[in-house]
Amino acid sequence: MSDKTKIAWTEATWNPVSGCSKVSEGCRFCYAERDWPRLAANARSRYTGRAFNDVKCHEEMLDQPLRWKRPRKIFVNSMSDLFHPDVPDDFIDRVFTTMGNVYCSMDKYHIFQVLTKRPERMSAYLNDPRTEHRVTMAMKAMGLGLPGENASPTWPLPNVWLGVSVEDQKAADERIPILLETPAALRWVSIEPMIGPVSFRWRYGNGFKTDPATGKIHRNHLDGLRRLDWIVVGGESGPQARPVLREWIDSIVAECREADVPIFVKQFGAAYSDPVHGIAGASLKIPEEAISLLKRRLKHHSGADMNEWPESLRVREWPASIHDGKGVIA
């Protein structure tokens, strides 16, 4: 667990599970796998002597969020995927038990940000009516937050944000519809690493609207985007980063503006490309015949310095505040 994360859209990381395996192109140059040897170099590390695809659950980490008294946003499993097939259901129950007890036992409590590339399992888990019962019983067994025999937590847990990570249109079209059918207090999408354009127009929606001028009924072309609560976008980092075009980021920002959905631009990536304005990321490979068109490179290694960005893309918004009986939680 780290309180010094460099991930701009969170404040801390919590890893009750570590290790993972690849499921799509977004995993090709995984940052967690890239960091694994450095972490394993520590003889006392949980990573020592293990391959990255050796998925392990760490019971000793389960109660750590309960020890943090200052409320913060916590990215769950930055070094894994909570819904990896090697993580047993009963351990996922215990992770949700911790998150539920944080909500019930703290006046001002943590927000848990969960991302997965395996939304099928996440949806099955959250849609199973037995899940809430198991988590409630486990919370009571811990003796925190649920006084009374018939007490139960608010479900889905208000302080748990469920999201999917997508890298291109194919991944978005596969994962986002499943997310939209998953019970959650807040649903979000992280388009990172962005290795291809992603659009929400005419996708994931079944809503219709009436044109007040003509009376004609039209399908709401951004209805699917409006069903989401937050979008994060970022280019790829690392020495093998794949290009991200400015027009891809421009398009996502424009769609979120039109749909009135908060968007958080995390970084442009190491291989950012803006050929119209002659701007390149720190490690973008430029053909020799095009070098004369280069006007400047971004200095930050992953393109995360907002001072180097066009003003129109300096956007880091958060989901609208959620209110409940205990006050504002976001």
Side-chain angles (χ1 to χ4, degrees):
M1 191 171 186
S2 173
D3 200 17
K4 298 180 181 178
T5 180
K6 295 181 180 179
I7 302 172
W9 46 259
T10 195
E11 296 171 296
T13 58
W14 173 42
N15 284 288
V17 181
S18 64
C20 202
S21 56
K22 294 177 170 59
V23 294
S24 66
E25 273 301 307
C27 304
R28 181 184 290 269
F29 304 122
C30 175
Y31 76 90
E33 185 177 27
R34 193 167 65 241
D35 284 350
W36 194 269
R38 176 183 61 82
L39 296 169
N42 183 342
R44 297 183 178 180
S45 168
R46 301 191 310 276
Y47 310 99
T48 304
R50 295 169 50 205
F52 179 66
N53 61 4
D54 180 9
V55 177
K56 291 231 184 249
C57 300
H58 305 288
E59 293 193 17
E60 73 277 9
M61 300 294 292
L62 284 170
D63 66 346
Q64 288 214 17
L66 292 165
R67 303 176 192 172
W68 273 358
K69 301 306 179 185
R70 179 180 61 82
R72 65 204 74 189
K73 296 179 179 70
I74 301 173
F75 178 23
V76 180
N77 286 330
S78 62
M79 298 297 292
S80 187
D81 186 329
L82 182 61
F83 295 98
H84 190 282
D86 290 345
V87 181
D89 275 358
D90 62 352
F91 194 83
I92 299 176
D93 288 347
R94 297 176 71 183
V95 172
F96 271 81
T97 296
T98 295
M99 297 189 293
N101 272 327
V102 163
Y103 172 69
C104 291
S105 64
M106 297 175 66
D107 291 332
K108 296 181 179 179
Y109 42 88
H110 310 315
I111 298 293
F112 293 93
Q113 300 161 304
V114 177
L115 273 179
T116 186
K117 286 186 174 70
R118 297 168 173 87
E120 298 88 352
R121 188 178 183 202
M122 178 175 72
S123 185
Y125 177 83
L126 271 300
N127 276 298
D128 185 342
R130 296 169 297 180
T131 297
E132 180 182 357
H133 175 74
R134 293 195 311 268
V135 172
T136 299
M137 293 300 101
M139 288 175 65
K140 289 181 177 180
M142 286 183 71
L144 294 172
L146 285 176
E149 182 179 350
N150 297 319
S152 62
T154 302
W155 195 264
L157 296 174
N159 62 328
V160 178
W161 299 358
L162 296 180
V164 292
S165 175
V166 307
E167 63 267 22
D168 55 20
Q169 194 69 60
K170 179 178 182 293
D173 290 346
E174 290 172 351
R175 296 170 189 160
I176 294 175
I178 301 172
L179 171 66
L180 292 172
E181 299 305 318
T182 302
L186 185 146
R187 299 181 184 90
W188 63 298
V189 174
S190 175
I191 309 173
E192 188 181 9
M194 191 181 210
I195 61 172
V198 174
S199 175
F200 291 87
R201 292 190 186 279
W202 305 108
R203 287 177 162 85
Y204 328 128
N206 55 9
F208 295 84
K209 63 180 179 180
T210 302
D211 186 327
T214 65
K216 292 183 179 180
I217 297 176
H218 300 279
R219 182 174 171 184
N220 186 343
H221 65 283
L222 284 176
D223 177 70
L225 178 55
R226 291 186 177 95
R227 295 171 66 193
L228 296 164
D229 300 290
W230 192 35
I231 305 296
V232 172
V233 62
E236 195 164 36
S237 60
Q240 297 174 294
R242 289 160 285 187
V244 56
L245 300 181
R246 173 178 171 171
E247 62 190 69
W248 302 348
I249 303 175
D250 276 333
S251 177
I252 286 292
V253 170
E255 289 188 10
C256 286
R257 286 279 185 258
E258 184 177 339
D260 196 26
V261 174
I263 181 167
F264 190 107
V265 180
K266 178 192 170 191
Q267 62 189 39
F268 283 5
Y272 173 73
S273 176
D274 181 356
V276 174
H277 299 93
I279 304 172
S283 64
L284 180 71
K285 295 179 181 179
I286 302 174
E288 191 171 330
E289 62 271 19
I291 289 179
S292 62
L293 302 177
L294 179 64
K295 295 180 181 177
R296 71 179 176 94
R297 280 191 181 272
L298 301 181
K299 296 179 181 179
H300 193 278
H301 63 91
S302 62
D305 184 352
M306 294 178 69
N307 294 319
E308 297 188 274
W309 301 357
E311 190 170 347
S312 62
L313 296 180
R314 297 176 188 175
V315 185
R316 286 186 169 176
E317 300 170 339
W318 299 94
S321 297
I322 298 174
H323 296 261
D324 66 4
K326 299 180 74 172
V328 179
I329 69 170

